């Protein structure tokens, strides 16, 4: 029986996830596979390279650096989070990504993107840490309005959370029967219709299927939350959520705010660590 780890996105709310998975890595917890969406992919890749602390380290170090993110980057490159600096310069020069450890770790690592031409999810397994792999992770985390479309291997891609925000059902479909699921919204969260749809329609006017997916994303997301709850009730999933709304938005340039969210995640990881270990090692 394969046991997996499913990481929701949520942009900077993903630092909650980073805190949990750092605790898991430090404790030597080894899931059989991992799937991440958006920030779940961008921060979750550090699990495969076994680099706890890396996500919070580079985010706080470069929080106010215009080379990393900001309006200047959006206006000059089309991406609020600078693609070249964030996904190629930082891991190669400033906070070295351990390509060799990633390649040596047999744990399958999947990312989820959305194909803007179809509005459907694209699932990609990444086995080698290459510039192309970094760009698949970037595509998964490329939020509409904040990012330009990422063209890779014949696809035109944006944020995986548009088409499949919590890919538990997909992971189960490929054989991961028991999964730890980390969400970045509290138990009572209900997603509402996107108030920025007029801007989305304008920005994505070349991609009607993507507009439709964005327009219905709240319906898809709330259905997925119910699927997660059902899996949790059935004992197929162990779900970890923040106890209340996290004190951070999609975008932040405040290192102190980032540390607060990260430590909330670490506290949740430590609180649930014994349960996680038991869930991933026991047989129902």
């Amino acid at each position: 029986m394969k046991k997996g780890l499913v990481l929701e996105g949520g942009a900077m709310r993903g630092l909650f996830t980073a805190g949990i998975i750092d605790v898991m890595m430090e404790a030597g917890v080894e899931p059989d596979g991992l799937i991440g969406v958006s920030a779940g992919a961008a921060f979750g890749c550090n699990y495969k390279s076994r680099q706890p602390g890396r996500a919070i380290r580079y985010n706080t170090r470069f929080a106010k650096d215009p080379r990393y993110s900001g309006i200047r980057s959006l206006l000059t490159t089309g991406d609020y989070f600078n693609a070249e600096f964030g996904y190629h310069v930082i891991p190669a020069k400033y906070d070295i990504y351990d390509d060799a450890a990633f390649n040596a770790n047999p744990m399958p690592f999947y990312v989820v993107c959305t194909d803007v031409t179809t509005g459907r999810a694209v699932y990609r397994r990444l086995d080698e840490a290459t510039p192309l792999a970094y760009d698949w992770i970037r595509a998964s985390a490329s939020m509409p309005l904040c990012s330009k479309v990422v063209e890779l291997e014949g696809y035109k891609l944006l944020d995986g959370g548009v088409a499949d925000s919590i890919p538990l059902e997909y992971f189960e479909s490929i054989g991961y029967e028991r999964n730890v699921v980390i969400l970045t919204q509290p138990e009572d969260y209900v997603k509402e219709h996107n108030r920025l749809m007029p801007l989305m329609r304008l920005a994505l006017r070349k991609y009607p299927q993507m507009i439709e997916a964005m327009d219905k994303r709240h319906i898809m997301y709330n259905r997925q939350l119910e699927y997660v709850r059902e899996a949790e009730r059935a004992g197929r999933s162990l779900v970890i959520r923040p106890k209340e709304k996290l004190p951070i938005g999609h975008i932040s340039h405040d290192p102190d705010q980032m540390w607060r969210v990260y430590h909330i995640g670490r506290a949740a990881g430590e609180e649930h660590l014994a349960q996680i270990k038991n869930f991933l090692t026991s047989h129902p």
Side-chain angles (χ1 to χ4, degrees):
M1 176 183 291
K2 292 194 293 185
K3 300 172 184 181
L5 179 59
V6 179
L7 306 181
E8 181 188 13
M12 298 312 294
R13 292 197 313 273
L15 290 172
F16 169 79
T17 302
I20 295 172
I21 64 175
D22 280 358
V23 169
M24 292 172 65
M25 281 190 276
E26 290 162 5
V29 176
E30 295 286 345
D32 296 322
L34 186 159
I35 187 167
V37 182
S38 194
F43 300 160
C45 67
N46 296 302
Y47 212 121
K48 188 166 170 64
S49 64
R50 296 188 173 99
Q51 290 179 276
R54 185 173 176 274
I56 185 62
R57 189 169 59 238
Y58 73 76
N59 273 287
T60 52
R61 176 179 176 182
F62 295 102
K64 299 182 180 181
D65 192 323
R67 295 175 299 170
Y68 181 50
S69 64
I71 296 299
R72 189 170 82 182
S73 175
L74 181 64
L75 293 176
T76 58
T77 72
D79 293 299
Y80 190 91
F81 290 92
N82 186 292
E84 179 63 23
F85 188 77
Y87 289 90
H88 297 286
V89 175
I90 288 177
K93 182 177 179 180
Y94 293 111
D95 201 313
I96 308 299
Y97 191 73
D98 194 336
D99 292 350
F102 183 102
N103 297 342
N105 187 343
M107 179 187 73
F109 173 69
Y110 294 81
V111 301
V112 186
C113 302
T114 300
D115 184 338
V116 299
T117 63
T118 66
R120 296 176 181 242
V122 176
Y123 306 94
R124 177 72 179 212
R125 176 170 166 169
L126 302 176
D127 293 318
E128 294 186 8
T130 64
L132 178 62
Y134 292 168
D135 281 333
W136 273 98
I137 295 168
R138 170 170 70 95
S140 180
S142 290
M143 297 181 291
L145 298 185
C146 293
S147 312
K148 61 187 177 185
V149 172
V150 181
E151 298 192 27
L152 292 175
E153 298 186 285
Y155 292 102
K156 293 183 177 182
L157 305 166
L158 281 175
D159 186 354
V162 174
D164 193 350
S165 297
I166 312 168
L168 172 61
E169 188 171 5
Y170 171 77
F171 226 33
E172 289 181 339
S173 77
I174 62 171
Y176 291 86
E177 298 177 57
R178 283 167 67 81
N179 293 281
V180 174
V181 181
I182 301 179
L183 304 180
T184 57
Q185 295 283 13
E187 168 65 31
D188 60 355
Y189 178 75
V190 177
K191 196 169 191 65
E192 298 180 353
H193 186 255
N194 194 325
R195 293 175 294 176
L196 296 178
M197 276 311 300
L199 285 176
M200 297 287 185
R201 293 181 191 281
L202 179 62
L204 298 168
R205 58 190 178 277
K206 295 180 181 178
Y207 307 108
Q209 298 301 317
M210 184 67 170
I211 292 172
E212 183 178 1
M214 289 292 304
D215 198 33
K216 296 179 178 179
R217 184 184 180 189
H218 63 298
I219 299 171
M220 174 274 295
Y221 185 86
N222 292 329
R223 284 176 178 165
Q224 289 193 326
L225 283 180
E226 185 51 42
Y227 187 89
V228 169
R229 293 187 188 104
E230 188 278 325
E232 186 177 26
R233 290 191 294 267
R236 302 195 314 270
S237 291
L238 171 62
V239 184
I240 305 174
R241 313 168 175 87
K243 295 178 181 178
E244 55 190 13
K245 183 178 179 180
L246 293 169
I248 199 167
H250 277 80
I251 293 170
S252 175
H253 297 281
D254 183 345
D256 291 336
Q257 188 179 56
M258 293 177 185
W259 276 111
R260 281 195 295 274
V261 173
Y262 174 76
H263 283 302
I264 292 171
R266 284 198 66 94
E270 290 163 359
E271 178 183 347
H272 290 92
L273 183 59
Q275 193 178 8
I276 292 168
K277 287 181 174 180
N278 181 65
F279 183 82
L280 291 177
T281 56
S282 64
H283 296 279

